[in-house]
Amino acid sequence: MIKCFAYENFKSFEKAELDIEALTTLIGTNSSGKSNAIEGISILAKTVTGLELSMILDGTKSTGAVVRGGSSGCARFKTNAFKLGCLTELDSENDLLYEIKIGVKERAAVEEEGI
Ligand SMILES: Nc1ncnc2c1ncn2[C@@H]1O[C@H](COP(=O)(O)OP(=O)(O)OP(=O)(O)O)[C@@H](O)[C@H]1O
Ligand SMILES: [Mg+2]
């Protein structure tokens, strides 16, 4: 079961964690980051499918950006890389943390990835 998602320099989040329960609801005022949090999860979900990063973030010329603002809109203002993570319960004693750092300077590229 997924326990938590983590965000670093992703859109409006400098550093944030979203704890996941069996049922998790996001409640907040406009522009508080609900959709940003969901977009981060959606990016993570697509990266593990092996789809190309540029496709995930920017789409194609005909489809346009898949993520709002495309790859350059993912990094927090004045930064050029962001990190997303997911903490999963592996078994009763161990958790598994997956993290990916994506740079968006010239084109989207994986800078770090680890488990
Ligand atoms: N790259 C970025 N750097 C900093 N802030 C950003 C970035 N991209 C988006 N934001 C900020 O994120 C906010 C929008 O967040 P989001 O769309 O997640 O809000 P929301 O909670 O879904 O709002 P609503 O209830 O209106 O749907 C805006 O204030 C916007 O300026
Ligand atoms: Mg929203």
Side-chain angles (χ1 to χ4, degrees), residues 57-78:
L57 302 175
D58 296 312
T60 60
K61 268 187 189 155
S62 55
T63 61
V66 182
V67 173
R68 294 173 305 166
S71 54
S72 55
C74 286
R76 194 172 143 82
F77 292 153
K78 296 182 183 164

Side-chain angles (χ1 to χ4, degrees):
M1 161 144 176
I2 292 172
K3 292 174 89 173
C4 175
F5 288 104
Y7 309 82
E8 216 175 294
N9 287 330
F10 180 72
K11 296 203 168 210
S12 52
F13 305 120
E14 187 178 357
K15 207 168 179 7
E17 290 185 356
L18 174 65
D19 289 333
I20 302 295
E21 302 292 337
L23 174 67
T24 304
T25 53
L26 297 179
I27 301 167
T29 56
N30 294 131
S31 289
S32 58
K34 304 180 296 291
S35 296
N36 292 346
I38 291 167
E39 266 182 341
I41 296 171
S42 161
I43 292 169
L44 265 179
K46 285 178 189 153
T47 53
V48 295
T49 65
L51 236 158
E52 226 181 285
L53 258 186
S54 61
M55 203 63 160
I56 295 170
L57 302 175
D58 296 312
T60 60
K61 268 187 189 155
S62 55
T63 61
V66 182
V67 173
R68 294 173 305 166
S71 54
S72 55
C74 286
R76 194 172 143 82
F77 292 153
K78 296 182 183 164
T79 68
N80 46 35
F82 65 93
K83 222 170 174 180
L84 294 169
C86 175
L87 186 70
T88 318
E89 189 181 303
L90 199 59
D91 55 43
S92 57
E93 286 173 11
N94 301 291
D95 288 341
L96 188 96
L97 175 67
Y98 170 77
E99 280 185 310
I100 187 165
K101 183 177 180 185
I102 296 171
V104 293
K105 215 170 183 178
E106 278 155 26
R107 56 179 200 90
V110 176
E111 290 187 357
E112 292 168 20
E113 189 178 26
I115 286 184

